[in-house]
Amino acid sequence: MKPRIKTTSQRAGRRTDALSREKIVEAAIGILDAEGESALTFRTLAARLSTGAGAIYWHVADKDELLAIASDHVLTRTFDALPQEPEPGRAIRVLALAMFDMIDIHPWIGTQFFREPWQLSMLLVVEGIGGPLQRMGVPDEALFDCGSALLSYILGVAGQNAANARLPTKIMDREAFLADVADRWSKLDPQQFPFVRRIAEQLPGHEDRQQFVAGIDLILAGIEARYLTAPPQAQ
Amino acid sequence: MKPRIKTTSQRAGRRTDALSREKIVEAAIGILDAEGESALTFRTLAARLSTGAGAIYWHVADKDELLAIASDHVLTRTFDALPQEPEPGRAIRVLALAMFDMIDIHPWIGTQFFREPWQLSMLLVVEGIGGPLQRMGVPDEALFDCGSALLSYILGVAGQNAANARLPTKIMDREAFLADVADRWSKLDPQQFPFVRRIAEQLPGHEDRQQFVAGIDLILAGIEARYLTAPPQAQ
DNA sequence: ACCTGAACACCGTTCAAGT
DNA sequence: ACCTGAACACCGTTCAAGT
């Protein structure tokens, strides 16, 4: 469909500078943000950089590495902009919300966490959660479990938001889409899905971001109750 | 590498029965379980079913649908085998563990939840969590948030386990792998990663399954503290 | 109605050839 | 050292032709 040869003044004709890892990653992020994960191919990327597809391999090992670098890049930037927050509970909420907003803008990162585990991005998140937990006074033996719980929750929401971003948002707006899902839910078998039917009416009005914080609060409340309160006699 | 024509008695020569949706899904699950998500192609699937690749499209719309049906299939089977559990807290733990074990056997389902959202599988999980929450006495306005928190946490762990399953498990065993990661962590910059370094030593001995339950317990403790206890005077 | 398998469009990746 | 772009292997999907 689209002509291969650009004859107009579309400002993509020739490259002024040399290629670089940095430039490739920047262009990749641009495509990912604007058109989604499925739009990023070495061919489109090369076209945007006015070069051949093979040239990219001189700077980047393969597509996996490119995606990893891109998400590390965005996440590092996000974390660098994080305000210092002395109160540990607030520090965790601030970090979690920063991640939520980051994924709102760059939905493709949401699934990236479920590729190579234990990559740099993951460590940054773990560290950002773990520090405040320590300052909170969570006992050493419980630190790993508490950090892991918060991490898994955050990644779970991230993945769901990434999935939602892939939906046909162009056709319907969010409002209409939720109303549509709610409608389908309310028509489910009352015998098999009593609970889903019940929360269907809450779906259209609900706020993802607010619900996300509610989950963080729930886990923090659990940590407080289990590890930061004088334990009762029994057991 | 592998010869296309099987001359031995490998029992795949000709199909005895007609093709069917059920048979296709069963074969797909077999490939997914044994060789992972990347091994499932319409060509290998067709070969295993001793038919042409195009034949599958008569019974199944496309690969997305095939994956959705396959995961619905396994999840339904898992949920049907769930024991009745009157105590709501235990019911949630039993369901969560059943999902954990399911993903241990069928890791590819872990990422499936992050494709089409609000598919049947998801609804089954939501219902399985929400019922007990209601019986627990969680107030109506909080049901959605509590259910969503548990769901997101479970899906987060599911996705991570799916990612872990894609690792080079053939080369190293789990023990050696964790020791290796722990070693790398302990060599990180103490300034930038004090927390990660600290939990590095806990990594080799840690049990995924146990840690998963600890997270469920934490969220349940939070629900208990926030919604099922007489609130104090202040606020 | 159901199946076959070649053909199409599109990928990631490689590599001989250029500068 | 860095880039180019054709070529390779492999996909999901379609479809004319068979039974």
Side-chain angles (χ1 to χ4, degrees):
Chain A
M1 285 294 179
K2 295 170 190 168
R4 288 288 157 80
I5 305 164
K6 309 186 179 183
T7 48
T8 59
S9 59
Q10 246 195 310
R11 87 157 196 83
R14 92 209 70 145
R15 202 172 55 242
T16 48
D17 312 333
L19 217 52
S20 73
R21 216 174 146 93
E22 182 69 17
K23 245 172 211 148
I24 292 169
V25 171
E26 220 63 71
I29 292 173
I31 294 173
L32 288 164
D33 288 352
E35 301 169 74
E37 194 162 352
S38 63
L40 181 69
T41 64
F42 275 77
R43 273 167 249 261
T44 43
L45 184 55
R48 172 169 302 207
L49 292 163
S50 321
T51 184
I56 297 167
Y57 285 90
W58 185 262
H59 303 272
V60 160
D62 53 21
K63 197 172 181 182
D64 277 347
E65 194 190 79
L66 178 58
L67 282 168
I69 302 173
S71 66
D72 284 352
H73 201 260
V74 174
L75 194 122
T76 303
R77 207 188 287 157
T78 303
F79 274 40
D80 283 348
L82 233 50
Q84 278 297 98
E85 187 59 66
E87 204 271 294
R90 288 183 61 86
I92 288 178
R93 284 184 189 84
V94 165
L95 178 135
L97 277 176
M99 287 195 63
F100 185 93
D101 295 335
M102 175 186 76
I103 285 159
D104 199 45
I105 303 171
H106 316 280
W108 49 276
I109 300 185
T111 37
Q112 190 54 33
F113 290 110
F114 299 117
R115 303 172 123 257
E116 285 289 314
W118 310 131
Q119 56 190 336
L120 175 63
S121 305
M122 197 79 99
L123 289 188
L124 288 172
V125 182
V126 170
E127 187 64 40
I129 292 170
L133 283 178
Q134 264 178 291
R135 299 209 305 276
M136 247 178 216
V138 173
D140 267 32
E141 330 81 65
L143 274 176
F144 200 178
D145 284 355
C146 293
S148 156
L150 283 164
L151 177 70
S152 296
Y153 171 72
I154 292 171
L155 297 191
V157 175
Q160 284 176 280
N161 285 356
N164 284 332
R166 278 193 296 266
L167 288 179
T169 32
K170 287 99 199 174
I171 301 171
M172 294 187 283
D173 56 347
R174 187 193 130 86
E175 203 77 15
F177 173 73
L178 286 182
D180 187 60
V181 173
D183 186 58
R184 277 209 305 279
W185 284 10
S186 65
K187 280 171 185 149
L188 288 168
D189 177 17
Q191 209 65 24
Q192 201 186 354
F193 292 105
F195 176 76
V196 174
R197 282 172 59 103
R198 183 189 274 238
I199 60 168
E201 52 191 52
Q202 294 183 41
L203 189 62
H206 106 296
E207 286 293 335
D208 279 338
R209 197 168 187 274
Q210 191 178 301
Q211 189 165 63
F212 173 66
V213 193
I216 296 284
D217 286 347
L218 229 41
I219 299 178
L220 288 177
I223 291 173
E224 162 92 21
R226 304 252 323 188
Y227 299 116
L228 303 176
T229 310
Q233 304 298 86
Q235 229 239 351
Chain B
M1 285 292 180
K2 294 169 189 169
R4 289 286 157 81
I5 304 163
K6 309 188 176 180
T7 47
T8 60
S9 59
Q10 248 195 310
R11 87 162 196 80
R14 92 212 72 146
R15 203 173 56 245
T16 47
D17 311 334
L19 218 50
S20 72
R21 216 172 145 93
E22 182 69 17
K23 246 172 210 147
I24 292 169
V25 171
E26 219 64 71
I29 292 173
I31 293 172
L32 289 164
D33 288 351
E35 301 169 74
E37 195 163 352
S38 63
L40 181 70
T41 62
F42 275 77
R43 273 166 248 261
T44 42
L45 184 56
R48 173 169 301 205
L49 291 163
S50 322
T51 184
I56 297 167
Y57 285 89
W58 184 262
H59 302 272
V60 161
D62 53 22
K63 198 172 180 181
D64 277 346
E65 193 189 81
L66 177 59
L67 282 168
I69 302 173
S71 65
D72 284 350
H73 202 260
V74 173
L75 194 123
T76 303
R77 207 188 284 155
T78 303
F79 274 39
D80 282 349
L82 234 50
Q84 277 298 99
E85 188 59 66
E87 204 270 295
R90 289 184 59 87
I92 288 178
R93 284 184 189 84
V94 164
L95 178 137
L97 278 175
M99 287 195 63
F100 185 93
D101 295 336
M102 175 187 76
I103 286 159
D104 200 47
I105 303 172
H106 316 280
W108 49 276
I109 300 184
T111 37
Q112 189 53 35
F113 289 110
F114 299 117
R115 301 172 124 258
E116 285 288 313
W118 310 131
Q119 55 191 334
L120 177 63
S121 305
M122 197 79 99
L123 289 188
L124 288 172
V125 182
V126 170
E127 188 64 41
I129 291 169
L133 283 179
Q134 265 179 288
R135 298 210 304 277
M136 246 176 216
V138 173
D140 266 32
E141 331 81 64
L143 273 176
F144 200 178
D145 283 355
C146 293
S148 156
L150 282 164
L151 176 69
S152 296
Y153 170 73
I154 292 172
L155 296 191
V157 175
Q160 285 176 278
N161 284 356
N164 285 331
R166 277 193 296 266
L167 288 179
T169 32
K170 287 98 197 175
I171 302 170
M172 295 186 284
D173 57 350
R174 186 192 131 85
E175 202 78 17
F177 174 72
L178 287 183
D180 188 60
V181 174
D183 187 56
R184 277 207 307 277
W185 285 9
S186 64
K187 280 173 187 147
L188 288 170
D189 177 18
Q191 209 64 22
Q192 200 186 355
F193 292 106
F195 176 76
V196 174
R197 281 172 59 104
R198 182 189 273 239
I199 60 168
E201 52 191 50
Q202 294 183 41
L203 189 62
H206 107 295
E207 286 292 335
D208 278 339
R209 198 170 187 273
Q210 191 178 301
Q211 190 166 62
F212 173 65
V213 193
I216 296 284
D217 285 347
L218 229 40
I219 299 177
L220 288 177
I223 292 174
E224 164 92 22
R226 304 252 323 190
Y227 298 117
L228 302 176
T229 310
Q233 302 299 85
Q235 232 241 353

